[in-house]
Amino acid sequence: MKTEQLVGHGWFPAAATDAASGPDSLFYFILIGSIIIFAGILYALIHFLIKYKRKSPNQLASGQLVHQPLLEISWTVIPFILVTIVFFWGYKDFLKMSIPPVDSMEVRVTGKKWLWQIDYPRYGVKTVGELVVPVNQPVKLVMSSEDVIHSFFIPNMRVKRDVIPNRYTRLWFEANRTGTFQVFCTEYCGDGHSQMLATLRVVSQEEFKDWLKAGSSGGDLPLPELGAKVYTKYACNTCHSLDGATSVGPTWKGLYGSNRPLTSGSAKADDNYLRESIVNPKAKIVAGYAPVMPAFAGLLSDREIDGVIEFIKAQK
Ligand code: CUA
């Protein structure tokens, strides 16, 4: 899947929401204002350095200014006005971005090392690493973490918020055009942090309805094909290779039926071993690997688990 070019014009990634104009122009207001003030200060500094340079070693300072009311008032009042503008400008957009519209579609986001689980509670659809939303529809994300602090960042929507264990945080956005956009985890959360990505796919209302239908039905794919789909859809591929390469987790090549050296003892990788490793991965840890895999209990249907096992069997 191709994601949209992240680079927009100027300093920002391309905007895909109307809400971007407020913070973007405030940023430029502060930036250009700072450049003008910096240039003015630099000019005055150099100008006075030259103008008041001591001409001879014995020259005394003379005619020192003690009070200059007009100057003092202006260097107090002008910055005050500027800071007030910045405050109200920012506060207005902050309020807008903090309060989701009442007709928002609610989506649950769960962060865990190192994937994003997305739930559509109203439709009974779950995904990993793929947030699909209709265009021109406010979307409210209710987010929490199962382990450490993560942060959900969609640059093109100008939203970012920490995802915290034992607490819900929320953010909302409304996309104004269709496309595929990158989502990042932007809070350092361990080895797989840089791989903790998701895609945001903004589609038309009709496409969204079709997508929901396809997602909730489960489909009647043959088991190995279903397993292959789960392998990418649920981001198993982030940590498990199919070609024998060592990654965060053991490769699936030649896994089925092999003898697994565990942190204590060993086990044979049969169907029950694989099922347990998917549903409750911390039960048995293969020697040399960290116990970092999230549990997929409740996330995969029984048929999907069967599919994954069949898919693993096919990796000889
Ligand atoms: Cu999750 Cu960084």
Side-chain angles (χ1 to χ4, degrees):
M1 202 187 306
K2 206 176 124 276
T3 47
E4 293 274 308
Q5 181 59 261
L6 277 175
V7 182
H9 40 262
W11 295 62
F12 287 103
T17 173
D18 293 342
S21 63
D24 288 13
S25 32
L26 176 55
F27 173 84
Y28 283 118
F29 176 77
I30 295 172
L31 179 71
I32 293 167
S34 305
I35 291 172
I36 293 171
I37 292 168
F38 174 71
I41 291 172
L42 207 65
Y43 170 79
L45 180 75
I46 294 168
H47 178 74
F48 291 139
L49 269 177
I50 295 165
K51 187 171 175 192
Y52 295 109
K53 181 177 167 22
R54 201 193 279 193
K55 302 289 186 309
S56 71
N58 303 324
Q59 184 187 351
L60 296 171
S62 65
Q64 284 214 1
L65 221 48
V66 182
H67 280 299
Q68 173 56 276
L70 187 66
L71 200 61
E72 287 173 22
I73 289 169
S74 52
W75 80 44
T76 308
V77 171
I78 293 171
F80 178 76
I81 292 171
L82 287 174
V83 169
T84 309
I85 292 173
V86 168
F87 173 78
F88 282 103
W89 192 338
Y91 190 60
K92 188 191 76 185
D93 286 321
F94 171 76
L95 281 185
K96 232 193 286 175
M97 297 175 99
S98 305
I99 305 166
V102 281
D103 59 338
S104 301
M105 180 177 88
E106 194 172 309
V107 178
R108 280 279 290 118
V109 171
T110 309
K112 45 182 145 180
K113 292 192 282 182
W114 289 282
L115 54 84
W116 294 106
Q117 183 188 324
I118 318 280
D119 285 73
Y120 295 78
R122 257 176 53 196
Y123 307 103
V125 174
K126 290 174 185 176
T127 78
V128 165
E130 191 185 33
L131 174 58
V132 181
V133 300
V135 70
N136 297 324
Q137 156 77 52
V139 178
K140 179 169 90 175
L141 305 182
V142 179
M143 311 187 294
S144 62
S145 166
E146 287 195 359
D147 35 51
V148 297
I149 300 177
H150 304 278
S151 183
F152 200 79
F153 180 30
I154 322 173
N156 303 83
M157 298 298 158
R158 305 291 190 272
V159 289
K160 171 164 78 176
R161 180 141 296 173
D162 277 9
V163 177
I164 299 167
N166 302 318
R167 183 194 295 186
Y168 296 114
T169 52
R170 60 180 191 182
L171 61 76
W172 79 275
F173 64 91
E174 180 176 342
N176 64 5
R177 65 187 175 96
T178 58
T180 305
F181 307 98
Q182 186 70 62
V183 180
F184 296 95
C185 175
T186 178
E187 183 68 52
Y188 181 66
C189 54
D191 289 357
H193 162 69
S194 64
Q195 298 302 313
M196 193 169 167
L197 305 168
T199 44
L200 165 65
R201 209 148 57 77
V202 181
V203 298
S204 67
Q205 285 286 351
E206 297 76 54
E207 276 179 85
F208 181 67
K209 286 201 185 93
D210 292 344
W211 178 81
L212 282 178
K213 236 184 273 166
S216 52
S217 71
D220 8 79
L221 282 172
L223 284 177
E225 277 174 49
L226 179 63
K229 231 178 91 181
V230 170
Y231 177 67
T232 48
K233 190 179 159 196
Y234 287 87
C236 313
N237 54 357
T238 320
C239 301
H240 299 286
S241 75
L242 298 180
D243 60 0
T246 304
S247 179
V248 176
T251 182
W252 284 3
K253 186 186 165 80
L255 167 61
Y256 188 73
S258 68
N259 225 357
R260 315 300 293 161
L262 303 179
T263 43
S264 65
S266 68
K268 191 174 150 63
D270 58 10
D271 295 58
N272 278 321
Y273 169 87
L274 293 180
R275 188 187 168 85
E276 183 184 52
S277 298
I278 296 166
V279 175
N280 179 21
K282 289 184 174 58
K284 293 191 177 74
I285 302 296
V286 177
Y289 292 94
V292 291
M293 177 168 156
F296 282 82
L299 189 52
L300 296 177
S301 69
D302 277 347
R303 192 156 191 281
E304 283 171 319
I305 293 172
D306 292 345
V308 173
I309 294 173
E310 291 308 315
F311 180 65
I312 291 174
K313 282 182 191 171
Q315 312 305 315
K316 298 212 166 75

